Amino acid sequence: MAQYHPNNTVSNDLYHIPLSYNNADFQASALRLILTLYPDWEKGEGPIEFIRFTDGITNTLLKAVKRRPDFTDEQIDNEAVLIRAYGKGTEVLIDRESGFRPTVPQEATSHSLLSQHKLAPTLLARFQNGLIYKFIRGHVCSPADLTTEPVWRGVARRLAQWHATLPILSAGNTTLAQDAGPEGSLPVPALSKSLPSSEDINAITPDLPAPNVWTTMQKWVFALPITSEVERQRKKVLQDELVRTVSDLGHTPGLGGNGLVFGHSDLLSGNVIVQPSSCHDQNSQAPTVSFIDYEYAVPSPAAFDITNHFAEWGGFDCNYENLPTRSVRRAFIEEYISSYRSHTFLESSNDELVPRLIAEIDSFRGVPGLYWGIWALIQATISQIDFDYASYAETRLGEYWAWRAEQDGSRQREAKEMPLRERRWAEE
């Protein structure tokens, strides 16, 4: 069962490199970072190479390798590291370090915690606008991979381990950043004129540790642009819906009864790594998987973290035909609870826990749409990445409204056709 702990002692000793990554000059800036961390790479035999990954839609991810002569691919990978640089302006979305807040970023704290529990690669250093950590060998999943039984069973087992064993960190540091740091500044006119305090943000759940998934969403709503009356009204509607959702679901008990677990909150396919067969548990038919990228990791109801992952089976294209049906969700939950029970004590029987968690997940199925819809509205304002965030926001918010229409019966009263996502969710 998750325990509450302050986070101010987890990663204070993490090596800090006082340099920034510059995407416009990625080769030179990445090389400076690597040689600061590993000066011997400059003199050793073999070239230094950088491999760019493009699975994400917010950050830059590079793999740095030293191709030493006579090293096998496995030996090279064992020495390789990942450089992850934050996207411009994402401080408003994620707790980053900035010139206004010279503290250890929340993500570094989360990563350090996970590493201590052997659930994340070793975190090697942080720099002005990112982190450097050890490379994990394995297969990066696609949305189609998530739908295959061996992979989703592996995900269920690993996610249960997270939820059952990781302590909940409470920092209270959820203020909006005013600047994007070395990579560029956030356009101030796009944000609300007055920046809310931590007290304003945390008031959405005054009796829960902060930050959490609800305070994260509150911070995002506060940051929504209000450059027109349409935007002002939309912000008010979304604030009202957040308050309504917290009132409905904010105290969902979960398996342990304490309401919150340490959630990943972004288990899209690119953040799920299927490790090589040599790493698999011989006592399980499911492969061993690892999760990467912990920038959104905060305390959340387990049902949110699981439902959010299910939504990612459709990928960025939101292909609802790939979402898990009732029977698949039940099998996933049974695997999850089995793994959860292996890591901590559960008093209740599976006959009680399985239907309870299934019901909680059903109740949360529209919340990821609200979460990522608000997120995408902000990204449409600040991001320089070639992705149609505005359309993505409308699609994800449409999921939330469709769920609400089922919950309150308005769709049936108005004799409207059930949307594809809801039809798929209802399939046995």
Short mmCIF file of all heavy atoms in Angstrom, two decimals, residues 17 20-22 26-27 29-35 37 41 48-53 59-65 80-86 124-125 127 129-135 293:
data_model
loop_
_atom_site.label_atom_id
_atom_site.label_comp_id
_atom_site.label_asym_id
_atom_site.label_seq_id
_atom_site.Cartn_x
_atom_site.Cartn_y
_atom_site.Cartn_z
N ILE A 17 24.58 19.47 -14.45
CA ILE A 17 25.44 20.03 -15.48
C ILE A 17 24.90 21.40 -15.86
O ILE A 17 23.77 21.51 -16.34
CB ILE A 17 25.47 19.12 -16.73
CG1 ILE A 17 26.00 17.73 -16.37
CG2 ILE A 17 26.32 19.74 -17.83
CD1 ILE A 17 25.90 16.71 -17.51
N SER A 20 22.87 23.76 -21.34
CA SER A 20 21.56 23.55 -21.94
C SER A 20 21.69 22.78 -23.25
O SER A 20 22.71 22.87 -23.93
CB SER A 20 20.86 24.88 -22.21
OG SER A 20 20.63 25.58 -21.02
N TYR A 21 20.64 22.06 -23.60
CA TYR A 21 20.54 21.44 -24.91
C TYR A 21 19.86 22.41 -25.86
O TYR A 21 18.85 23.03 -25.51
CB TYR A 21 19.74 20.14 -24.83
CG TYR A 21 19.43 19.53 -26.18
CD1 TYR A 21 20.35 18.73 -26.83
CD2 TYR A 21 18.20 19.79 -26.81
CE1 TYR A 21 20.07 18.19 -28.08
CE2 TYR A 21 17.92 19.25 -28.04
CZ TYR A 21 18.85 18.46 -28.68
OH TYR A 21 18.57 17.92 -29.91
N ASN A 22 20.43 22.55 -27.06
CA ASN A 22 19.88 23.45 -28.07
C ASN A 22 19.47 22.63 -29.28
O ASN A 22 20.33 22.07 -29.97
CB ASN A 22 20.91 24.51 -28.45
CG ASN A 22 20.35 25.54 -29.42
OD1 ASN A 22 19.28 25.35 -30.00
ND2 ASN A 22 21.07 26.63 -29.61
N PHE A 26 21.81 20.54 -32.26
CA PHE A 26 21.68 19.39 -31.36
C PHE A 26 22.97 18.59 -31.24
O PHE A 26 23.32 18.11 -30.15
CB PHE A 26 20.51 18.50 -31.80
CG PHE A 26 20.83 17.47 -32.84
CD1 PHE A 26 21.23 16.19 -32.47
CD2 PHE A 26 20.72 17.77 -34.19
CE1 PHE A 26 21.51 15.24 -33.43
CE2 PHE A 26 21.00 16.82 -35.15
CZ PHE A 26 21.41 15.54 -34.77
N GLN A 27 23.72 18.43 -32.32
CA GLN A 27 24.93 17.61 -32.28
C GLN A 27 25.96 18.22 -31.33
O GLN A 27 26.50 17.54 -30.46
CB GLN A 27 25.52 17.48 -33.68
CG GLN A 27 26.68 16.50 -33.80
CD GLN A 27 26.22 15.06 -33.98
OE1 GLN A 27 25.08 14.82 -34.35
NE2 GLN A 27 27.10 14.11 -33.71
N SER A 29 25.54 20.64 -28.97
CA SER A 29 25.10 20.80 -27.58
C SER A 29 25.00 19.46 -26.88
O SER A 29 25.33 19.34 -25.69
CB SER A 29 23.76 21.55 -27.53
OG SER A 29 22.74 20.84 -28.19
N ALA A 30 24.56 18.41 -27.58
CA ALA A 30 24.52 17.08 -26.98
C ALA A 30 25.92 16.58 -26.66
O ALA A 30 26.15 15.95 -25.62
CB ALA A 30 23.80 16.11 -27.91
N LEU A 31 26.87 16.87 -27.56
CA LEU A 31 28.25 16.45 -27.33
C LEU A 31 28.84 17.12 -26.09
O LEU A 31 29.54 16.49 -25.30
CB LEU A 31 29.09 16.76 -28.57
CG LEU A 31 30.54 16.26 -28.53
CD1 LEU A 31 30.59 14.73 -28.40
CD2 LEU A 31 31.29 16.72 -29.79
N ARG A 32 28.54 18.40 -25.91
CA ARG A 32 29.04 19.10 -24.72
C ARG A 32 28.50 18.46 -23.44
O ARG A 32 29.23 18.30 -22.45
CB ARG A 32 28.65 20.59 -24.78
CG ARG A 32 29.49 21.41 -25.75
CD ARG A 32 29.28 22.90 -25.55
NE ARG A 32 27.91 23.30 -25.89
CZ ARG A 32 27.52 23.69 -27.10
NH1 ARG A 32 28.40 23.73 -28.09
NH2 ARG A 32 26.27 24.05 -27.32
N LEU A 33 27.24 18.08 -23.46
CA LEU A 33 26.65 17.44 -22.29
C LEU A 33 27.32 16.11 -21.99
O LEU A 33 27.67 15.80 -20.85
CB LEU A 33 25.15 17.24 -22.51
CG LEU A 33 24.28 18.49 -22.50
CD1 LEU A 33 22.88 18.17 -23.02
CD2 LEU A 33 24.20 19.08 -21.10
N ILE A 34 27.50 15.30 -23.05
CA ILE A 34 28.08 13.97 -22.85
C ILE A 34 29.52 14.05 -22.38
O ILE A 34 29.94 13.30 -21.48
CB ILE A 34 28.00 13.15 -24.16
CG1 ILE A 34 26.56 12.69 -24.39
CG2 ILE A 34 28.93 11.95 -24.14
CD1 ILE A 34 26.02 11.78 -23.30
N LEU A 35 30.30 14.96 -22.95
CA LEU A 35 31.71 15.06 -22.56
C LEU A 35 31.86 15.65 -21.15
O LEU A 35 32.88 15.40 -20.49
CB LEU A 35 32.48 15.89 -23.58
CG LEU A 35 32.61 15.24 -24.96
CD1 LEU A 35 33.44 16.13 -25.89
CD2 LEU A 35 33.25 13.84 -24.87
N LEU A 37 29.77 14.82 -18.77
CA LEU A 37 29.45 13.67 -17.94
C LEU A 37 30.53 12.58 -18.06
O LEU A 37 30.93 11.99 -17.05
CB LEU A 37 28.09 13.10 -18.36
CG LEU A 37 27.56 11.92 -17.54
CD1 LEU A 37 27.30 12.33 -16.09
CD2 LEU A 37 26.26 11.39 -18.18
N TRP A 41 35.20 9.77 -22.86
CA TRP A 41 34.69 9.41 -24.18
C TRP A 41 35.40 10.19 -25.29
O TRP A 41 35.46 9.73 -26.43
CB TRP A 41 33.18 9.70 -24.27
CG TRP A 41 32.32 8.60 -23.68
CD1 TRP A 41 32.68 7.72 -22.71
CD2 TRP A 41 30.97 8.29 -24.03
NE1 TRP A 41 31.63 6.89 -22.42
CE2 TRP A 41 30.57 7.22 -23.22
CE3 TRP A 41 30.05 8.83 -24.92
CZ2 TRP A 41 29.29 6.65 -23.30
CZ3 TRP A 41 28.77 8.28 -25.01
CH2 TRP A 41 28.40 7.20 -24.21
N ILE A 48 31.70 8.96 -31.14
CA ILE A 48 30.48 9.19 -30.36
C ILE A 48 29.36 9.48 -31.35
O ILE A 48 29.51 10.34 -32.23
CB ILE A 48 30.66 10.37 -29.40
CG1 ILE A 48 31.79 10.09 -28.40
CG2 ILE A 48 29.35 10.67 -28.66
CD1 ILE A 48 32.16 11.29 -27.55
N GLU A 49 28.26 8.76 -31.21
CA GLU A 49 27.14 8.94 -32.13
C GLU A 49 25.88 9.26 -31.35
O GLU A 49 25.70 8.84 -30.20
CB GLU A 49 26.92 7.67 -32.97
CG GLU A 49 28.09 7.35 -33.89
CD GLU A 49 27.85 6.09 -34.71
OE1 GLU A 49 26.73 5.52 -34.59
OE2 GLU A 49 28.75 5.69 -35.45
N PHE A 50 24.99 10.01 -32.02
CA PHE A 50 23.71 10.36 -31.42
C PHE A 50 22.58 9.87 -32.33
O PHE A 50 22.59 10.11 -33.53
CB PHE A 50 23.59 11.88 -31.22
CG PHE A 50 24.61 12.43 -30.25
CD1 PHE A 50 25.76 13.04 -30.72
CD2 PHE A 50 24.42 12.30 -28.89
CE1 PHE A 50 26.71 13.54 -29.84
CE2 PHE A 50 25.35 12.79 -28.00
CZ PHE A 50 26.50 13.41 -28.46
N ILE A 51 21.64 9.16 -31.74
CA ILE A 51 20.50 8.63 -32.47
C ILE A 51 19.25 9.32 -31.94
O ILE A 51 18.97 9.26 -30.75
CB ILE A 51 20.39 7.11 -32.30
CG1 ILE A 51 21.68 6.45 -32.80
CG2 ILE A 51 19.18 6.54 -33.03
CD1 ILE A 51 22.06 5.21 -32.06
N ARG A 52 18.52 9.96 -32.83
CA ARG A 52 17.34 10.70 -32.40
C ARG A 52 16.10 9.80 -32.45
O ARG A 52 15.84 9.11 -33.44
CB ARG A 52 17.12 11.91 -33.31
CG ARG A 52 15.97 12.82 -32.88
CD ARG A 52 15.70 13.86 -33.95
NE ARG A 52 16.75 14.85 -34.04
CZ ARG A 52 16.75 16.01 -33.39
NH1 ARG A 52 15.74 16.30 -32.60
NH2 ARG A 52 17.73 16.86 -33.54
N PHE A 53 15.35 9.80 -31.36
CA PHE A 53 14.08 9.10 -31.32
C PHE A 53 12.97 10.12 -31.49
O PHE A 53 13.05 11.24 -30.99
CB PHE A 53 13.89 8.36 -29.99
CG PHE A 53 14.90 7.26 -29.78
CD1 PHE A 53 15.91 7.41 -28.84
CD2 PHE A 53 14.85 6.10 -30.51
CE1 PHE A 53 16.85 6.41 -28.63
CE2 PHE A 53 15.78 5.08 -30.31
CZ PHE A 53 16.78 5.24 -29.37
N ASN A 59 8.90 16.28 -26.29
CA ASN A 59 10.30 16.40 -25.92
C ASN A 59 11.23 15.88 -27.01
O ASN A 59 10.79 15.21 -27.95
CB ASN A 59 10.57 15.62 -24.62
CG ASN A 59 9.73 16.13 -23.48
OD1 ASN A 59 9.65 17.31 -23.23
ND2 ASN A 59 9.06 15.22 -22.80
N THR A 60 12.53 16.15 -26.85
CA THR A 60 13.56 15.60 -27.72
C THR A 60 14.28 14.49 -26.97
O THR A 60 14.69 14.67 -25.82
CB THR A 60 14.58 16.69 -28.12
OG1 THR A 60 13.91 17.70 -28.87
CG2 THR A 60 15.71 16.09 -28.95
N LEU A 61 14.42 13.34 -27.60
CA LEU A 61 15.08 12.20 -26.98
C LEU A 61 16.20 11.71 -27.89
O LEU A 61 15.97 11.39 -29.06
CB LEU A 61 14.08 11.07 -26.73
CG LEU A 61 14.59 9.86 -25.96
CD1 LEU A 61 14.98 10.24 -24.53
CD2 LEU A 61 13.54 8.76 -25.93
N LEU A 62 17.43 11.69 -27.34
CA LEU A 62 18.60 11.24 -28.08
C LEU A 62 19.28 10.09 -27.35
O LEU A 62 19.40 10.12 -26.12
CB LEU A 62 19.63 12.37 -28.23
CG LEU A 62 19.22 13.65 -28.95
CD1 LEU A 62 20.33 14.68 -28.83
CD2 LEU A 62 18.91 13.37 -30.40
N LYS A 63 19.72 9.11 -28.10
CA LYS A 63 20.55 8.05 -27.56
C LYS A 63 22.00 8.36 -27.91
O LYS A 63 22.33 8.60 -29.07
CB LYS A 63 20.15 6.70 -28.15
CG LYS A 63 21.01 5.53 -27.68
CD LYS A 63 20.59 4.24 -28.40
CE LYS A 63 21.45 3.06 -28.03
NZ LYS A 63 21.08 1.83 -28.81
N ALA A 64 22.86 8.41 -26.89
CA ALA A 64 24.28 8.67 -27.10
C ALA A 64 25.06 7.38 -26.91
O ALA A 64 24.92 6.72 -25.87
CB ALA A 64 24.77 9.73 -26.12
N VAL A 65 25.86 7.02 -27.90
CA VAL A 65 26.64 5.79 -27.82
C VAL A 65 28.11 6.08 -28.13
O VAL A 65 28.43 6.98 -28.90
CB VAL A 65 26.11 4.70 -28.79
CG1 VAL A 65 24.67 4.34 -28.47
CG2 VAL A 65 26.24 5.15 -30.24
N ALA A 80 25.49 2.92 -23.25
CA ALA A 80 24.77 4.03 -23.85
C ALA A 80 23.92 4.78 -22.82
O ALA A 80 23.54 4.24 -21.78
CB ALA A 80 23.87 3.52 -24.98
N VAL A 81 23.63 6.04 -23.13
CA VAL A 81 22.77 6.85 -22.28
C VAL A 81 21.73 7.55 -23.14
O VAL A 81 21.87 7.66 -24.36
CB VAL A 81 23.57 7.89 -21.47
CG1 VAL A 81 24.59 7.23 -20.58
CG2 VAL A 81 24.22 8.92 -22.39
N LEU A 82 20.67 8.01 -22.48
CA LEU A 82 19.63 8.78 -23.14
C LEU A 82 19.68 10.23 -22.64
O LEU A 82 19.81 10.48 -21.44
CB LEU A 82 18.26 8.19 -22.85
CG LEU A 82 17.96 6.83 -23.48
CD1 LEU A 82 16.60 6.34 -23.04
CD2 LEU A 82 18.03 6.89 -25.00
N ILE A 83 19.60 11.14 -23.58
CA ILE A 83 19.50 12.57 -23.28
C ILE A 83 18.08 13.00 -23.62
O ILE A 83 17.65 12.86 -24.76
CB ILE A 83 20.50 13.40 -24.11
CG1 ILE A 83 21.94 12.95 -23.83
CG2 ILE A 83 20.33 14.88 -23.83
CD1 ILE A 83 22.95 13.61 -24.75
N ARG A 84 17.37 13.50 -22.63
CA ARG A 84 16.01 13.95 -22.89
C ARG A 84 15.90 15.43 -22.57
O ARG A 84 16.08 15.84 -21.42
CB ARG A 84 14.98 13.17 -22.08
CG ARG A 84 13.56 13.39 -22.59
CD ARG A 84 12.69 12.20 -22.29
NE ARG A 84 12.48 12.09 -20.87
CZ ARG A 84 11.55 12.75 -20.19
NH1 ARG A 84 10.77 13.61 -20.82
NH2 ARG A 84 11.40 12.58 -18.91
N ALA A 85 15.63 16.21 -23.59
CA ALA A 85 15.50 17.66 -23.43
C ALA A 85 14.04 18.04 -23.52
O ALA A 85 13.30 17.55 -24.39
CB ALA A 85 16.30 18.39 -24.51
N TYR A 86 13.62 18.91 -22.64
CA TYR A 86 12.22 19.30 -22.56
C TYR A 86 11.84 20.22 -23.71
O TYR A 86 12.63 21.04 -24.16
CB TYR A 86 11.94 20.01 -21.24
CG TYR A 86 12.34 19.23 -20.02
CD1 TYR A 86 12.99 19.86 -18.97
CD2 TYR A 86 12.09 17.87 -19.93
CE1 TYR A 86 13.35 19.15 -17.83
CE2 TYR A 86 12.46 17.16 -18.81
CZ TYR A 86 13.09 17.80 -17.76
OH TYR A 86 13.45 17.10 -16.65
N LEU A 124 21.54 9.68 -14.23
CA LEU A 124 22.95 10.06 -14.16
C LEU A 124 23.16 11.55 -13.87
O LEU A 124 24.09 11.91 -13.14
CB LEU A 124 23.65 9.69 -15.47
CG LEU A 124 23.59 8.21 -15.85
CD1 LEU A 124 24.14 8.02 -17.26
CD2 LEU A 124 24.37 7.38 -14.85
N ALA A 125 22.34 12.40 -14.44
CA ALA A 125 22.56 13.84 -14.29
C ALA A 125 21.33 14.59 -14.77
O ALA A 125 20.51 14.06 -15.54
CB ALA A 125 23.78 14.29 -15.07
N PHE A 127 20.46 18.52 -16.49
CA PHE A 127 21.04 19.75 -17.03
C PHE A 127 19.96 20.81 -17.07
O PHE A 127 18.85 20.58 -16.54
CB PHE A 127 21.70 19.51 -18.39
CG PHE A 127 20.84 18.83 -19.42
CD1 PHE A 127 20.15 19.55 -20.38
CD2 PHE A 127 20.74 17.44 -19.46
CE1 PHE A 127 19.37 18.92 -21.33
CE2 PHE A 127 19.95 16.79 -20.40
CZ PHE A 127 19.26 17.54 -21.35
N ASN A 129 17.85 22.03 -19.05
CA ASN A 129 16.53 21.76 -19.63
C ASN A 129 16.34 20.29 -19.96
O ASN A 129 15.78 19.93 -21.00
CB ASN A 129 16.29 22.63 -20.88
CG ASN A 129 17.36 22.43 -21.94
OD1 ASN A 129 18.49 22.04 -21.65
ND2 ASN A 129 17.01 22.71 -23.19
N GLY A 130 16.81 19.42 -19.05
CA GLY A 130 16.59 18.01 -19.29
C GLY A 130 17.33 17.09 -18.34
O GLY A 130 17.92 17.53 -17.34
N LEU A 131 17.29 15.80 -18.67
CA LEU A 131 17.89 14.76 -17.85
C LEU A 131 18.72 13.82 -18.73
O LEU A 131 18.48 13.68 -19.93
CB LEU A 131 16.80 13.93 -17.15
CG LEU A 131 15.84 14.65 -16.21
CD1 LEU A 131 14.74 13.69 -15.76
CD2 LEU A 131 16.57 15.21 -15.00
N ILE A 132 19.69 13.15 -18.09
CA ILE A 132 20.48 12.10 -18.73
C ILE A 132 20.38 10.85 -17.87
O ILE A 132 20.59 10.91 -16.66
CB ILE A 132 21.96 12.51 -18.90
CG1 ILE A 132 22.09 13.81 -19.68
CG2 ILE A 132 22.75 11.39 -19.58
CD1 ILE A 132 23.52 14.33 -19.79
N TYR A 133 20.05 9.74 -18.50
CA TYR A 133 19.93 8.49 -17.75
C TYR A 133 20.35 7.31 -18.61
O TYR A 133 20.51 7.43 -19.84
CB TYR A 133 18.51 8.29 -17.21
CG TYR A 133 17.39 8.48 -18.22
CD1 TYR A 133 16.88 7.43 -18.95
CD2 TYR A 133 16.82 9.74 -18.40
CE1 TYR A 133 15.85 7.60 -19.85
CE2 TYR A 133 15.77 9.92 -19.30
CZ TYR A 133 15.29 8.85 -20.02
OH TYR A 133 14.27 9.03 -20.92
N LYS A 134 20.55 6.17 -17.97
CA LYS A 134 21.03 4.98 -18.67
C LYS A 134 20.00 4.49 -19.68
O LYS A 134 18.79 4.60 -19.47
CB LYS A 134 21.33 3.86 -17.67
CG LYS A 134 22.51 4.13 -16.76
CD LYS A 134 23.84 4.16 -17.50
CE LYS A 134 24.26 2.78 -17.98
NZ LYS A 134 25.60 2.81 -18.63
N PHE A 135 20.49 3.96 -20.76
CA PHE A 135 19.65 3.39 -21.81
C PHE A 135 19.11 2.03 -21.38
O PHE A 135 19.82 1.25 -20.74
CB PHE A 135 20.47 3.26 -23.09
CG PHE A 135 19.75 2.57 -24.22
CD1 PHE A 135 18.71 3.19 -24.88
CD2 PHE A 135 20.14 1.30 -24.63
CE1 PHE A 135 18.05 2.56 -25.93
CE2 PHE A 135 19.50 0.65 -25.68
CZ PHE A 135 18.46 1.30 -26.33
N ASP A 293 10.01 7.69 -19.06
CA ASP A 293 9.46 9.05 -19.12
C ASP A 293 8.45 9.28 -17.99
O ASP A 293 7.28 8.94 -18.10
CB ASP A 293 8.82 9.34 -20.47
CG ASP A 293 9.85 9.48 -21.57
OD1 ASP A 293 11.05 9.29 -21.28
OD2 ASP A 293 9.47 9.77 -22.72
#
